Amino acid sequence: MDLTYTEEEQDFRARLRAWLAKVLPELPARPSPDDWPGRRAYDLGWQRRLYEAGYAGLHWPVDAGGRGATPTQHLIFLEETERAGAPYVGANFVGLLHAGPTIAAEGTAQQRARWLPPVLRGDEVWCQGFSEPDAGSDLASLRTRAVRDGDDYVISGSKIWTSHAEVADWCELLVRTDPGAPKHRGISWLALPMDAPGVSVRPLRTLAGSAEFAQVFLDEVRVPVANRVGAENDGWRVTMVTLSFERGTAFVGEVVACRRTLGELARTAKANGRWDDPVLRRRLGRLYGEFGALWRLTQWNVSEAERSAGGVPGIGGSVFKLAYSHARQELYDTAAEVLGARSLSLEEEWTLDRLSSLSYTIAAGTSQIQRNIVAERILGLPKGR
Ligand SMILES: Cc1cc2nc3c(=O)[nH]c(=O)nc-3n(C[C@H](O)[C@H](O)[C@H](O)COP(=O)(O)OP(=O)(O)OC[C@H]3O[C@@H](n4cnc5c(N)ncnc54)[C@H](O)[C@@H]3O)c2cc1C
């Protein structure tokens, strides 16, 4: 990737900035975190506007309905949307950032035609049914069973921590299709319609007060065999593709958002006198350096992903995920110091962000698991027991 901007890229940035300046003031107010149907409608509405303006799936391949933009254009898009304070992907997170890209890389032509356009148009929301009550970090020990019956699988089991399950139309679901095979070999990756008979969703309340994820129960749910992405029992390989998108590129827009927050923290500290504390200033300075380094790592990851076959990010995503989730926690711990007693109020946006930042070292694979991956698969250290 060339880190200087061509005239064409500068022009792309200017057009995007002008478009954002025009559309953002027209947006309705964002619904409260508890209003899930309202948030779904808001997030899909924003996706529709991106689609109509030609900015949906900017970095997706053209034959998957995307714009086939260069890595630099993709990063410019992230920088400009964050800088302008545009809505975050929200309910579209799974569809746009890892289920859609997995189907683009691994699905058949029919599967791509069925599932990708509604994600880009903002018509359908996806969720992720990977974790189970007894299979989180040790994902391959999942037990949800899918038994073949004619042209269908009949599925029974339960998934947990399923973000956005309440408002999702589809779920990227991992099921065990061969209970006799070694645990990594008997898994398949399916698209589950969330309105299928036998699917029930029980919301789970988080520390921050919202019920953003749920437990999903599957009671003899019939899903067509045609909804399987990849070969039967080859779902672990497809899952690695999904996880590399989730860890490698799905959070990149948030790095820019954190850098913006850092600037706001410095301004708030100057305004309320906290800036006089040299320890706090050093901490802000170090965070500035860390997020700068993370943005460079992001540029590298995006560039590598878009150079690879199918645009699949590599194992470097685990380095990013590990460093980013810790830097994010430190950012919001620092925000609490800047706010002082105000940081105890749930009315403060930064307080809610601080509470939710705790989950970043768990979601999409814990830090311990990322360290194991980095140790074994990047550094070549011996495998633990
Ligand atoms: C905000 C949030 C959103 C989420 N959204 C989704 C979603 O949409 N869909 C979904 O499927 N899942 C989702 N998850 C679940 C998430 O992927 C799991 O919580 C995560 O994989 C950890 O699994 P676990 O909770 O079962 O912890 P466990 O696996 O029980 O781990 C407990 C502790 O033991 C450590 N540990 C476990 N094994 C090892 C090992 N081999 N070496 C070293 N340490 C180890 C872990 O690091 C952790 O600290 C979400 C989680 C969060 C917090």
Side-chain angles (χ1 to χ4, degrees):
M1 174 198 261
D2 183 353
L3 294 178
T4 56
Y5 297 113
T6 62
E7 221 169 276
E8 200 186 337
E9 285 158 355
Q10 286 171 19
D11 182 51
F12 172 78
R13 187 189 289 279
R15 276 185 287 118
L16 173 58
R17 197 176 279 190
W19 179 75
L20 288 166
K22 182 173 149 309
V23 297
L24 290 181
E26 298 165 3
L27 284 187
R30 190 167 158 75
S32 82
D34 266 348
D35 175 7
W36 276 98
R39 281 177 67 177
R40 176 193 150 104
Y42 180 88
D43 295 340
L44 290 180
W46 173 241
Q47 182 59 30
R48 174 57 65 98
R49 294 199 85 141
L50 289 171
Y51 178 79
E52 283 165 357
Y55 291 117
L58 203 59
H59 61 296
W60 283 25
V62 174
D63 63 1
R67 310 284 298 175
T70 63
T72 309
Q73 284 174 329
H74 177 200
L75 293 166
I76 290 173
F77 174 81
L78 293 172
E79 282 176 350
E80 289 301 322
T81 44
E82 282 299 342
R83 183 173 292 147
Y88 181 56
V89 283
N92 294 314
F93 186 88
V94 171
L96 269 178
L97 299 174
H98 53 86
T102 301
I103 293 166
E106 296 288 333
T108 62
Q110 290 93 322
Q111 290 173 337
R112 295 166 83 167
R114 164 63 189 90
W115 288 311
L116 299 183
V119 169
L120 293 179
R121 280 197 307 264
D123 286 342
E124 289 179 348
V125 167
W126 283 68
C127 63
Q128 180 190 45
F130 282 15
S131 305
E132 294 188 5
D134 293 317
S137 300
D138 188 12
L139 182 58
S141 66
L142 64 92
R143 288 203 295 235
T144 292
R145 286 274 306 266
V147 180
R148 190 91 177 237
D149 181 26
D151 289 338
D152 290 340
Y153 289 112
V154 180
I155 303 170
S156 291
S158 158
K159 296 287 169 178
I160 199 163
W161 315 129
T162 316
S163 308
H164 306 139
E166 264 191 291
V167 294
D169 304 286
W170 292 92
C171 176
E172 50 175 11
L173 186 77
L174 294 186
V175 290
R176 186 156 297 287
T177 31
D178 182 356
K183 68 179 185 180
H184 292 89
R185 302 232 179 94
I187 292 172
S188 298
W189 196 111
L190 304 181
L192 162 80
M194 290 297 283
D195 61 358
V199 177
S200 53
V201 173
R202 192 182 75 194
L204 299 168
R205 194 155 287 278
T206 70
L207 181 65
S210 66
E212 66 190 41
F213 40 44
Q215 184 158 6
V216 177
F217 298 92
L218 302 154
D219 183 15
E220 305 213 333
V221 180
R222 295 189 85 87
V223 172
V225 171
N227 285 23
R228 191 189 64 231
V229 174
E232 187 169 88
N233 299 324
D234 192 29
W236 188 253
R237 191 189 55 76
V238 183
T239 303
M240 290 305 105
V241 172
T242 309
L243 292 182
S244 72
F245 280 115
E246 188 176 8
R247 294 166 182 167
T249 48
F251 294 110
V252 296
E254 295 187 39
V255 177
V256 195
C258 287
R259 293 181 82 182
R260 205 181 58 195
T261 302
L262 203 51
E264 286 169 24
L265 276 183
R267 280 191 290 280
T268 307
K270 282 178 188 160
N272 73 6
R274 297 288 290 120
W275 188 252
D276 296 336
D277 178 353
V279 176
L280 179 83
R281 285 206 307 273
R282 261 201 299 280
R283 206 166 161 184
L284 286 169
R286 191 163 44 74
L287 278 168
Y288 186 79
E290 268 180 45
F291 279 103
L294 276 167
W295 186 239
R296 288 288 178 240
L297 190 57
T298 295
Q299 290 176 318
W300 188 81
N301 273 343
V302 168
S303 187
E304 283 295 296
E306 295 185 24
R307 246 203 305 263
S308 74
V312 180
I315 203 72
S318 285
V319 179
F320 171 81
K321 162 73 171 66
L322 181 60
Y324 168 68
S325 52
H326 286 272
R328 185 180 176 102
Q329 281 183 1
E330 196 177 344
L331 172 72
Y332 286 106
D333 285 349
T334 310
E337 273 190 49
V338 171
L339 287 178
R342 269 172 56 203
S343 73
L344 299 175
S345 163
L346 286 177
E347 303 297 308
E348 287 288 347
E349 205 182 327
W350 284 341
T351 306
L352 292 175
D353 287 337
R354 185 183 188 205
L355 293 177
S356 79
S357 78
L358 298 175
S359 69
Y360 277 69
T361 49
I362 303 171
T366 67
S367 289
Q368 288 88 343
I369 296 299
Q370 304 313 319
R371 284 194 189 96
N372 283 352
I373 294 172
V374 171
E376 290 164 11
R377 297 179 57 193
I378 300 182
L379 301 176
L381 298 178
K383 228 172 156 31
R385 264 173 289 150

